[in-house]
């Protein structure tokens, strides 16, 4: 069982299981939970395992984890609580402890504390977290960590192996109006998390290169999803549009 395996690394798992006048304009079209909730509704199954890679303050977690709880599943959070390099929130290792404490408090107090047995946390980087998750154990994997091109590329490749055959790999910050495509944006955009003119160009490039726009389904909140296959003769994952017939 994945849970048993994770509990062997108490230095990584934080104690969530088993206690386990300023006007601000918010772009509601870019709230990831709106898309992730539809993805779970479309493809969630009983006792599913959902992984969220990059949780920031846990806003998406607090909205989606109750859905997973109702399905009798587990919700794996991966976050290093240090911010993002070259983007908001700015990289600041000194904020790790306070950010971590704020998230664990939310898990213990919000929703009446009912998420403590559903949510487990890997307090580390997205790449390092892969070492603690067995291959083909995740039903839905939502990537929303470092949005720079190489980081997204690595997350897509690494976590594709963690998703079950015919499972769903999905992510954030790819609007259909700026859909996945190779060499659509200037390459100087790829070194920043969010370019002031071109936005999350690194996400579009990485998704286009690895998955292909034809294999992507777009969801509200600038979310995208693809279905992962594990039938490549070389042992590499391949991808299909989630609405394509399941083989």
């Amino acid at each position: 069982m994945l849970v048993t395996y994770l509990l062997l690394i108490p230095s990584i798992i934080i104690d969530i299981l088993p206690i386990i006048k300023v006007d601000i304009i918010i772009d509601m079209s870019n709230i990831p939970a709106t898309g992730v909730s539809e993805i779970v509704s479309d493809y969630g199954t009983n006792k599913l395992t959902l992984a969220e890679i990059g949780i920031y303050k846990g806003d998406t977690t607090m909205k989606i984890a109750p859905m997973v709880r109702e399905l009798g599943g587990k919700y794996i959070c991966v976050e290093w609580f240090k911010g993002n390099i070259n983007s908001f929130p700015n990289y600041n290792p000194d904020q790790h402890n306070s950010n971590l404490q704020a998230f664990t408090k939310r898990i213990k107090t919000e929703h009446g504390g009912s998420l403590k047995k559903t949510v487990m946390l890997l307090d580390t980087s997205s790449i390092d977290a892969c070492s603690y998750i067995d291959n083909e154990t995740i039903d839905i994997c939502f990537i929303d960590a470092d949005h720079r091109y190489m980081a997204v590329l690595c997350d897509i490749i690494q976590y594709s192996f963690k998703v079950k055959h015919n499972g769903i790999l999905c992510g954030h910050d790819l609007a259909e109006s700026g859909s996945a495509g190779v060499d659509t944006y200037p390459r100087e955009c790829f070194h920043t998390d969010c370019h002031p003119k071109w936005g999350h160009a690194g996400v579009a490039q990485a998704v286009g290169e690895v998955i292909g726009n034809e294999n992507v389904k777009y969801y509200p909140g600038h979310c995208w999803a693809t279905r992962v296959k594990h039938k490549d003769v070389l042992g590499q994952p391949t991808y299909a549009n989630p609405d394509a017939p399941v083989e």
Side-chain angles (χ1 to χ4, degrees), residues 142-175:
F142 177 65
I143 297 174
D144 193 18
D146 190 332
H147 288 56
R148 292 176 297 167
Y149 163 70
M150 284 303 300
V152 180
L153 190 74
C154 290
D155 284 345
I156 290 174
I157 293 171
Q158 295 281 359
Y159 282 96
S160 291
F161 288 101
K162 306 305 174 182
V163 175
K164 296 177 182 178
H165 178 64
N166 281 323
I168 299 297
L169 182 73
C170 51
H172 187 221
D173 286 313
L174 184 61

PDB file of all heavy atoms in Angstrom, residues 142-175:
ATOM      1  N   PHE A 142      -2.307  16.283 -10.352  1.00  0.00           N
ATOM      2  CA  PHE A 142      -2.461  17.683 -10.737  1.00  0.00           C
ATOM      3  C   PHE A 142      -1.155  18.429 -10.479  1.00  0.00           C
ATOM      4  O   PHE A 142      -0.692  18.526  -9.341  1.00  0.00           O
ATOM      5  CB  PHE A 142      -3.598  18.324  -9.948  1.00  0.00           C
ATOM      6  CG  PHE A 142      -3.793  19.792 -10.228  1.00  0.00           C
ATOM      7  CD1 PHE A 142      -4.185  20.229 -11.485  1.00  0.00           C
ATOM      8  CD2 PHE A 142      -3.592  20.740  -9.235  1.00  0.00           C
ATOM      9  CE1 PHE A 142      -4.361  21.580 -11.755  1.00  0.00           C
ATOM     10  CE2 PHE A 142      -3.778  22.095  -9.490  1.00  0.00           C
ATOM     11  CZ  PHE A 142      -4.157  22.511 -10.755  1.00  0.00           C
ATOM     12  N   ILE A 143      -0.544  18.953 -11.552  1.00  0.00           N
ATOM     13  CA  ILE A 143       0.749  19.628 -11.475  1.00  0.00           C
ATOM     14  C   ILE A 143       0.544  21.148 -11.473  1.00  0.00           C
ATOM     15  O   ILE A 143      -0.029  21.702 -12.411  1.00  0.00           O
ATOM     16  CB  ILE A 143       1.656  19.218 -12.650  1.00  0.00           C
ATOM     17  CG1 ILE A 143       1.953  17.714 -12.585  1.00  0.00           C
ATOM     18  CG2 ILE A 143       2.944  20.028 -12.650  1.00  0.00           C
ATOM     19  CD1 ILE A 143       2.721  17.195 -13.793  1.00  0.00           C
ATOM     20  N   ASP A 144       1.038  21.789 -10.406  1.00  0.00           N
ATOM     21  CA  ASP A 144       0.911  23.243 -10.300  1.00  0.00           C
ATOM     22  C   ASP A 144       2.065  23.794  -9.449  1.00  0.00           C
ATOM     23  O   ASP A 144       1.857  24.590  -8.536  1.00  0.00           O
ATOM     24  CB  ASP A 144      -0.437  23.618  -9.683  1.00  0.00           C
ATOM     25  CG  ASP A 144      -0.759  25.100  -9.837  1.00  0.00           C
ATOM     26  OD1 ASP A 144      -0.136  25.756 -10.693  1.00  0.00           O
ATOM     27  OD2 ASP A 144      -1.633  25.590  -9.107  1.00  0.00           O
ATOM     28  N   ALA A 145       3.274  23.361  -9.767  1.00  0.00           N
ATOM     29  CA  ALA A 145       4.454  23.758  -8.999  1.00  0.00           C
ATOM     30  C   ALA A 145       5.221  24.849  -9.751  1.00  0.00           C
ATOM     31  O   ALA A 145       4.635  25.816 -10.217  1.00  0.00           O
ATOM     32  CB  ALA A 145       5.321  22.534  -8.710  1.00  0.00           C
ATOM     33  N   ASP A 146       6.514  24.688  -9.885  1.00  0.00           N
ATOM     34  CA  ASP A 146       7.351  25.633 -10.631  1.00  0.00           C
ATOM     35  C   ASP A 146       6.909  25.642 -12.090  1.00  0.00           C
ATOM     36  O   ASP A 146       6.857  24.603 -12.740  1.00  0.00           O
ATOM     37  CB  ASP A 146       8.814  25.189 -10.500  1.00  0.00           C
ATOM     38  CG  ASP A 146       9.800  26.220 -11.024  1.00  0.00           C
ATOM     39  OD1 ASP A 146       9.443  27.002 -11.920  1.00  0.00           O
ATOM     40  OD2 ASP A 146      10.952  26.223 -10.548  1.00  0.00           O
ATOM     41  N   HIS A 147       6.584  26.822 -12.636  1.00  0.00           N
ATOM     42  CA  HIS A 147       6.053  26.917 -13.995  1.00  0.00           C
ATOM     43  C   HIS A 147       7.108  27.228 -15.043  1.00  0.00           C
ATOM     44  O   HIS A 147       6.770  27.469 -16.204  1.00  0.00           O
ATOM     45  CB  HIS A 147       4.956  27.987 -14.049  1.00  0.00           C
ATOM     46  CG  HIS A 147       3.691  27.574 -13.363  1.00  0.00           C
ATOM     47  ND1 HIS A 147       3.664  27.169 -12.058  1.00  0.00           N
ATOM     48  CD2 HIS A 147       2.402  27.513 -13.796  1.00  0.00           C
ATOM     49  CE1 HIS A 147       2.414  26.876 -11.711  1.00  0.00           C
ATOM     50  NE2 HIS A 147       1.632  27.078 -12.751  1.00  0.00           N
ATOM     51  N   ARG A 148       8.376  27.232 -14.671  1.00  0.00           N
ATOM     52  CA  ARG A 148       9.421  27.416 -15.674  1.00  0.00           C
ATOM     53  C   ARG A 148       9.479  26.180 -16.560  1.00  0.00           C
ATOM     54  O   ARG A 148       9.186  25.063 -16.126  1.00  0.00           O
ATOM     55  CB  ARG A 148      10.761  27.668 -15.004  1.00  0.00           C
ATOM     56  CG  ARG A 148      10.845  29.012 -14.269  1.00  0.00           C
ATOM     57  CD  ARG A 148      12.160  29.179 -13.549  1.00  0.00           C
ATOM     58  NE  ARG A 148      12.327  28.172 -12.513  1.00  0.00           N
ATOM     59  CZ  ARG A 148      13.477  27.925 -11.898  1.00  0.00           C
ATOM     60  NH1 ARG A 148      14.570  28.600 -12.227  1.00  0.00           N
ATOM     61  NH2 ARG A 148      13.545  27.000 -10.951  1.00  0.00           N
ATOM     62  N   TYR A 149       9.899  26.378 -17.794  1.00  0.00           N
ATOM     63  CA  TYR A 149       9.843  25.325 -18.804  1.00  0.00           C
ATOM     64  C   TYR A 149      10.491  24.014 -18.352  1.00  0.00           C
ATOM     65  O   TYR A 149       9.860  22.953 -18.390  1.00  0.00           O
ATOM     66  CB  TYR A 149      10.492  25.825 -20.092  1.00  0.00           C
ATOM     67  CG  TYR A 149      10.869  24.738 -21.063  1.00  0.00           C
ATOM     68  CD1 TYR A 149       9.896  24.011 -21.741  1.00  0.00           C
ATOM     69  CD2 TYR A 149      12.213  24.423 -21.291  1.00  0.00           C
ATOM     70  CE1 TYR A 149      10.231  23.003 -22.622  1.00  0.00           C
ATOM     71  CE2 TYR A 149      12.558  23.422 -22.177  1.00  0.00           C
ATOM     72  CZ  TYR A 149      11.575  22.711 -22.840  1.00  0.00           C
ATOM     73  OH  TYR A 149      11.921  21.717 -23.711  1.00  0.00           O
ATOM     74  N   MET A 150      11.748  24.067 -17.911  1.00  0.00           N
ATOM     75  CA  MET A 150      12.440  22.828 -17.555  1.00  0.00           C
ATOM     76  C   MET A 150      11.799  22.158 -16.357  1.00  0.00           C
ATOM     77  O   MET A 150      11.756  20.922 -16.274  1.00  0.00           O
ATOM     78  CB  MET A 150      13.920  23.112 -17.280  1.00  0.00           C
ATOM     79  CG  MET A 150      14.756  23.346 -18.523  1.00  0.00           C
ATOM     80  SD  MET A 150      14.689  21.954 -19.705  1.00  0.00           S
ATOM     81  CE  MET A 150      15.332  20.612 -18.715  1.00  0.00           C
ATOM     82  N   ALA A 151      11.291  22.951 -15.417  1.00  0.00           N
ATOM     83  CA  ALA A 151      10.640  22.378 -14.240  1.00  0.00           C
ATOM     84  C   ALA A 151       9.355  21.661 -14.628  1.00  0.00           C
ATOM     85  O   ALA A 151       9.085  20.537 -14.163  1.00  0.00           O
ATOM     86  CB  ALA A 151      10.359  23.475 -13.221  1.00  0.00           C
ATOM     87  N   VAL A 152       8.543  22.300 -15.485  1.00  0.00           N
ATOM     88  CA  VAL A 152       7.299  21.661 -15.928  1.00  0.00           C
ATOM     89  C   VAL A 152       7.605  20.403 -16.733  1.00  0.00           C
ATOM     90  O   VAL A 152       6.952  19.373 -16.570  1.00  0.00           O
ATOM     91  CB  VAL A 152       6.448  22.638 -16.767  1.00  0.00           C
ATOM     92  CG1 VAL A 152       5.154  21.964 -17.225  1.00  0.00           C
ATOM     93  CG2 VAL A 152       6.136  23.894 -15.981  1.00  0.00           C
ATOM     94  N   LEU A 153       8.599  20.493 -17.598  1.00  0.00           N
ATOM     95  CA  LEU A 153       9.000  19.332 -18.405  1.00  0.00           C
ATOM     96  C   LEU A 153       9.355  18.153 -17.507  1.00  0.00           C
ATOM     97  O   LEU A 153       8.890  17.027 -17.718  1.00  0.00           O
ATOM     98  CB  LEU A 153      10.187  19.720 -19.289  1.00  0.00           C
ATOM     99  CG  LEU A 153      10.590  18.717 -20.378  1.00  0.00           C
ATOM    100  CD1 LEU A 153       9.582  18.748 -21.520  1.00  0.00           C
ATOM    101  CD2 LEU A 153      11.987  19.053 -20.906  1.00  0.00           C
ATOM    102  N   CYS A 154      10.171  18.415 -16.481  1.00  0.00           N
ATOM    103  CA  CYS A 154      10.581  17.344 -15.566  1.00  0.00           C
ATOM    104  C   CYS A 154       9.388  16.794 -14.795  1.00  0.00           C
ATOM    105  O   CYS A 154       9.267  15.570 -14.625  1.00  0.00           O
ATOM    106  CB  CYS A 154      11.647  17.858 -14.596  1.00  0.00           C
ATOM    107  SG  CYS A 154      13.248  18.180 -15.353  1.00  0.00           S
ATOM    108  N   ASP A 155       8.501  17.670 -14.331  1.00  0.00           N
ATOM    109  CA  ASP A 155       7.342  17.191 -13.574  1.00  0.00           C
ATOM    110  C   ASP A 155       6.434  16.321 -14.429  1.00  0.00           C
ATOM    111  O   ASP A 155       5.949  15.280 -13.974  1.00  0.00           O
ATOM    112  CB  ASP A 155       6.551  18.381 -13.023  1.00  0.00           C
ATOM    113  CG  ASP A 155       7.216  19.027 -11.814  1.00  0.00           C
ATOM    114  OD1 ASP A 155       8.118  18.405 -11.222  1.00  0.00           O
ATOM    115  OD2 ASP A 155       6.826  20.157 -11.467  1.00  0.00           O
ATOM    116  N   ILE A 156       6.197  16.735 -15.674  1.00  0.00           N
ATOM    117  CA  ILE A 156       5.350  15.935 -16.561  1.00  0.00           C
ATOM    118  C   ILE A 156       5.960  14.555 -16.782  1.00  0.00           C
ATOM    119  O   ILE A 156       5.277  13.522 -16.669  1.00  0.00           O
ATOM    120  CB  ILE A 156       5.130  16.653 -17.902  1.00  0.00           C
ATOM    121  CG1 ILE A 156       4.237  17.879 -17.715  1.00  0.00           C
ATOM    122  CG2 ILE A 156       4.509  15.695 -18.930  1.00  0.00           C
ATOM    123  CD1 ILE A 156       4.096  18.721 -18.970  1.00  0.00           C
ATOM    124  N   ILE A 157       7.238  14.524 -17.089  1.00  0.00           N
ATOM    125  CA  ILE A 157       7.898  13.247 -17.375  1.00  0.00           C
ATOM    126  C   ILE A 157       7.925  12.359 -16.139  1.00  0.00           C
ATOM    127  O   ILE A 157       7.557  11.174 -16.192  1.00  0.00           O
ATOM    128  CB  ILE A 157       9.323  13.494 -17.907  1.00  0.00           C
ATOM    129  CG1 ILE A 157       9.251  14.162 -19.284  1.00  0.00           C
ATOM    130  CG2 ILE A 157      10.111  12.190 -17.978  1.00  0.00           C
ATOM    131  CD1 ILE A 157      10.595  14.636 -19.807  1.00  0.00           C
ATOM    132  N   GLN A 158       8.355  12.919 -14.994  1.00  0.00           N
ATOM    133  CA  GLN A 158       8.495  12.113 -13.786  1.00  0.00           C
ATOM    134  C   GLN A 158       7.149  11.595 -13.287  1.00  0.00           C
ATOM    135  O   GLN A 158       7.013  10.414 -12.939  1.00  0.00           O
ATOM    136  CB  GLN A 158       9.164  12.950 -12.680  1.00  0.00           C
ATOM    137  CG  GLN A 158      10.598  13.358 -12.980  1.00  0.00           C
ATOM    138  CD  GLN A 158      11.597  12.231 -12.739  1.00  0.00           C
ATOM    139  OE1 GLN A 158      11.225  11.134 -12.326  1.00  0.00           O
ATOM    140  NE2 GLN A 158      12.857  12.493 -13.002  1.00  0.00           N
ATOM    141  N   TYR A 159       6.145  12.456 -13.259  1.00  0.00           N
ATOM    142  CA  TYR A 159       4.871  12.045 -12.680  1.00  0.00           C
ATOM    143  C   TYR A 159       4.013  11.234 -13.643  1.00  0.00           C
ATOM    144  O   TYR A 159       3.062  10.573 -13.200  1.00  0.00           O
ATOM    145  CB  TYR A 159       4.117  13.267 -12.138  1.00  0.00           C
ATOM    146  CG  TYR A 159       4.698  13.694 -10.810  1.00  0.00           C
ATOM    147  CD1 TYR A 159       5.655  14.704 -10.740  1.00  0.00           C
ATOM    148  CD2 TYR A 159       4.335  13.051  -9.632  1.00  0.00           C
ATOM    149  CE1 TYR A 159       6.228  15.063  -9.530  1.00  0.00           C
ATOM    150  CE2 TYR A 159       4.903  13.406  -8.420  1.00  0.00           C
ATOM    151  CZ  TYR A 159       5.848  14.405  -8.374  1.00  0.00           C
ATOM    152  OH  TYR A 159       6.417  14.755  -7.170  1.00  0.00           O
ATOM    153  N   SER A 160       4.342  11.240 -14.912  1.00  0.00           N
ATOM    154  CA  SER A 160       3.646  10.340 -15.833  1.00  0.00           C
ATOM    155  C   SER A 160       3.852   8.887 -15.423  1.00  0.00           C
ATOM    156  O   SER A 160       2.945   8.052 -15.567  1.00  0.00           O
ATOM    157  CB  SER A 160       4.140  10.559 -17.266  1.00  0.00           C
ATOM    158  OG  SER A 160       3.719  11.811 -17.764  1.00  0.00           O
ATOM    159  N   PHE A 161       5.035   8.581 -14.901  1.00  0.00           N
ATOM    160  CA  PHE A 161       5.308   7.220 -14.440  1.00  0.00           C
ATOM    161  C   PHE A 161       4.525   6.887 -13.174  1.00  0.00           C
ATOM    162  O   PHE A 161       4.271   5.715 -12.890  1.00  0.00           O
ATOM    163  CB  PHE A 161       6.807   7.030 -14.183  1.00  0.00           C
ATOM    164  CG  PHE A 161       7.634   6.979 -15.427  1.00  0.00           C
ATOM    165  CD1 PHE A 161       8.348   8.098 -15.843  1.00  0.00           C
ATOM    166  CD2 PHE A 161       7.717   5.831 -16.203  1.00  0.00           C
ATOM    167  CE1 PHE A 161       9.113   8.068 -16.995  1.00  0.00           C
ATOM    168  CE2 PHE A 161       8.477   5.785 -17.360  1.00  0.00           C
ATOM    169  CZ  PHE A 161       9.181   6.910 -17.760  1.00  0.00           C
ATOM    170  N   LYS A 162       4.166   7.886 -12.402  1.00  0.00           N
ATOM    171  CA  LYS A 162       3.452   7.650 -11.148  1.00  0.00           C
ATOM    172  C   LYS A 162       1.959   7.433 -11.374  1.00  0.00           C
ATOM    173  O   LYS A 162       1.278   6.856 -10.522  1.00  0.00           O
ATOM    174  CB  LYS A 162       3.660   8.838 -10.197  1.00  0.00           C
ATOM    175  CG  LYS A 162       5.120   9.194  -9.952  1.00  0.00           C
ATOM    176  CD  LYS A 162       5.923   8.006  -9.456  1.00  0.00           C
ATOM    177  CE  LYS A 162       7.400   8.313  -9.354  1.00  0.00           C
ATOM    178  NZ  LYS A 162       8.191   7.138  -8.906  1.00  0.00           N
ATOM    179  N   VAL A 163       1.445   7.902 -12.507  1.00  0.00           N
ATOM    180  CA  VAL A 163       0.015   7.773 -12.820  1.00  0.00           C
ATOM    181  C   VAL A 163      -0.275   6.367 -13.347  1.00  0.00           C
ATOM    182  O   VAL A 163       0.501   5.807 -14.128  1.00  0.00           O
ATOM    183  CB  VAL A 163      -0.410   8.839 -13.847  1.00  0.00           C
ATOM    184  CG1 VAL A 163      -1.865   8.646 -14.264  1.00  0.00           C
ATOM    185  CG2 VAL A 163      -0.200  10.233 -13.265  1.00  0.00           C
ATOM    186  N   LYS A 164      -1.391   5.819 -12.944  1.00  0.00           N
ATOM    187  CA  LYS A 164      -1.796   4.493 -13.416  1.00  0.00           C
ATOM    188  C   LYS A 164      -2.069   4.505 -14.912  1.00  0.00           C
ATOM    189  O   LYS A 164      -2.339   5.547 -15.502  1.00  0.00           O
ATOM    190  CB  LYS A 164      -3.062   4.045 -12.681  1.00  0.00           C
ATOM    191  CG  LYS A 164      -2.901   3.846 -11.190  1.00  0.00           C
ATOM    192  CD  LYS A 164      -4.232   3.481 -10.556  1.00  0.00           C
ATOM    193  CE  LYS A 164      -4.122   3.323  -9.057  1.00  0.00           C
ATOM    194  NZ  LYS A 164      -5.442   3.007  -8.430  1.00  0.00           N
ATOM    195  N   HIS A 165      -2.021   3.334 -15.523  1.00  0.00           N
ATOM    196  CA  HIS A 165      -2.432   3.197 -16.918  1.00  0.00           C
ATOM    197  C   HIS A 165      -3.885   3.647 -17.045  1.00  0.00           C
ATOM    198  O   HIS A 165      -4.760   3.210 -16.291  1.00  0.00           O
ATOM    199  CB  HIS A 165      -2.285   1.745 -17.366  1.00  0.00           C
ATOM    200  CG  HIS A 165      -2.738   1.496 -18.769  1.00  0.00           C
ATOM    201  ND1 HIS A 165      -2.128   2.057 -19.853  1.00  0.00           N
ATOM    202  CD2 HIS A 165      -3.764   0.742 -19.253  1.00  0.00           C
ATOM    203  CE1 HIS A 165      -2.744   1.674 -20.958  1.00  0.00           C
ATOM    204  NE2 HIS A 165      -3.741   0.874 -20.617  1.00  0.00           N
ATOM    205  N   ASN A 166      -4.131   4.550 -17.979  1.00  0.00           N
ATOM    206  CA  ASN A 166      -5.440   5.176 -18.208  1.00  0.00           C
ATOM    207  C   ASN A 166      -5.826   6.172 -17.110  1.00  0.00           C
ATOM    208  O   ASN A 166      -6.975   6.632 -17.063  1.00  0.00           O
ATOM    209  CB  ASN A 166      -6.558   4.135 -18.374  1.00  0.00           C
ATOM    210  CG  ASN A 166      -6.553   3.546 -19.771  1.00  0.00           C
ATOM    211  OD1 ASN A 166      -6.297   4.242 -20.751  1.00  0.00           O
ATOM    212  ND2 ASN A 166      -6.819   2.239 -19.866  1.00  0.00           N
ATOM    213  N   GLY A 167      -4.865   6.508 -16.252  1.00  0.00           N
ATOM    214  CA  GLY A 167      -5.108   7.555 -15.268  1.00  0.00           C
ATOM    215  C   GLY A 167      -4.981   8.933 -15.896  1.00  0.00           C
ATOM    216  O   GLY A 167      -4.652   9.077 -17.081  1.00  0.00           O
ATOM    217  N   ILE A 168      -5.217   9.966 -15.091  1.00  0.00           N
ATOM    218  CA  ILE A 168      -5.267  11.342 -15.587  1.00  0.00           C
ATOM    219  C   ILE A 168      -4.089  12.148 -15.039  1.00  0.00           C
ATOM    220  O   ILE A 168      -3.874  12.205 -13.829  1.00  0.00           O
ATOM    221  CB  ILE A 168      -6.582  12.030 -15.195  1.00  0.00           C
ATOM    222  CG1 ILE A 168      -7.782  11.284 -15.805  1.00  0.00           C
ATOM    223  CG2 ILE A 168      -6.578  13.496 -15.634  1.00  0.00           C
ATOM    224  CD1 ILE A 168      -7.821  11.280 -17.326  1.00  0.00           C
ATOM    225  N   LEU A 169      -3.351  12.759 -15.954  1.00  0.00           N
ATOM    226  CA  LEU A 169      -2.342  13.755 -15.609  1.00  0.00           C
ATOM    227  C   LEU A 169      -2.900  15.111 -16.009  1.00  0.00           C
ATOM    228  O   LEU A 169      -3.375  15.287 -17.141  1.00  0.00           O
ATOM    229  CB  LEU A 169      -1.036  13.484 -16.360  1.00  0.00           C
ATOM    230  CG  LEU A 169       0.127  14.434 -16.052  1.00  0.00           C
ATOM    231  CD1 LEU A 169       0.694  14.158 -14.669  1.00  0.00           C
ATOM    232  CD2 LEU A 169       1.224  14.298 -17.110  1.00  0.00           C
ATOM    233  N   CYS A 170      -2.872  16.066 -15.101  1.00  0.00           N
ATOM    234  CA  CYS A 170      -3.454  17.371 -15.395  1.00  0.00           C
ATOM    235  C   CYS A 170      -2.608  18.461 -14.763  1.00  0.00           C
ATOM    236  O   CYS A 170      -1.669  18.188 -14.029  1.00  0.00           O
ATOM    237  CB  CYS A 170      -4.905  17.437 -14.914  1.00  0.00           C
ATOM    238  SG  CYS A 170      -5.170  16.926 -13.195  1.00  0.00           S
ATOM    239  N   GLY A 171      -2.949  19.710 -15.063  1.00  0.00           N
ATOM    240  CA  GLY A 171      -2.149  20.803 -14.547  1.00  0.00           C
ATOM    241  C   GLY A 171      -2.866  22.127 -14.674  1.00  0.00           C
ATOM    242  O   GLY A 171      -4.011  22.208 -15.129  1.00  0.00           O
ATOM    243  N   HIS A 172      -2.144  23.184 -14.308  1.00  0.00           N
ATOM    244  CA  HIS A 172      -2.721  24.516 -14.235  1.00  0.00           C
ATOM    245  C   HIS A 172      -1.977  25.477 -15.157  1.00  0.00           C
ATOM    246  O   HIS A 172      -0.889  25.178 -15.646  1.00  0.00           O
ATOM    247  CB  HIS A 172      -2.642  25.033 -12.785  1.00  0.00           C
ATOM    248  CG  HIS A 172      -3.359  26.319 -12.560  1.00  0.00           C
ATOM    249  ND1 HIS A 172      -2.849  27.331 -11.768  1.00  0.00           N
ATOM    250  CD2 HIS A 172      -4.559  26.773 -13.033  1.00  0.00           C
ATOM    251  CE1 HIS A 172      -3.706  28.341 -11.752  1.00  0.00           C
ATOM    252  NE2 HIS A 172      -4.743  28.032 -12.517  1.00  0.00           N
ATOM    253  N   ASP A 173      -2.602  26.622 -15.394  1.00  0.00           N
ATOM    254  CA  ASP A 173      -2.023  27.749 -16.121  1.00  0.00           C
ATOM    255  C   ASP A 173      -1.750  27.450 -17.586  1.00  0.00           C
ATOM    256  O   ASP A 173      -0.697  27.780 -18.131  1.00  0.00           O
ATOM    257  CB  ASP A 173      -0.752  28.259 -15.426  1.00  0.00           C
ATOM    258  CG  ASP A 173      -1.089  29.028 -14.160  1.00  0.00           C
ATOM    259  OD1 ASP A 173      -1.993  29.884 -14.212  1.00  0.00           O
ATOM    260  OD2 ASP A 173      -0.473  28.761 -13.110  1.00  0.00           O
ATOM    261  N   LEU A 174      -2.725  26.821 -18.219  1.00  0.00           N
ATOM    262  CA  LEU A 174      -2.698  26.636 -19.663  1.00  0.00           C
ATOM    263  C   LEU A 174      -4.108  26.894 -20.174  1.00  0.00           C
ATOM    264  O   LEU A 174      -4.953  26.005 -20.193  1.00  0.00           O
ATOM    265  CB  LEU A 174      -2.237  25.225 -20.027  1.00  0.00           C
ATOM    266  CG  LEU A 174      -2.085  24.948 -21.528  1.00  0.00           C
ATOM    267  CD1 LEU A 174      -1.040  25.859 -22.146  1.00  0.00           C
ATOM    268  CD2 LEU A 174      -1.719  23.494 -21.768  1.00  0.00           C
ATOM    269  N   ALA A 175      -4.376  28.140 -20.558  1.00  0.00           N
ATOM    270  CA  ALA A 175      -5.698  28.489 -21.060  1.00  0.00           C
ATOM    271  C   ALA A 175      -5.839  28.019 -22.500  1.00  0.00           C
ATOM    272  O   ALA A 175      -4.869  27.964 -23.252  1.00  0.00           O
ATOM    273  CB  ALA A 175      -5.912  29.999 -20.987  1.00  0.00           C
TER     274      ALA A 175
END
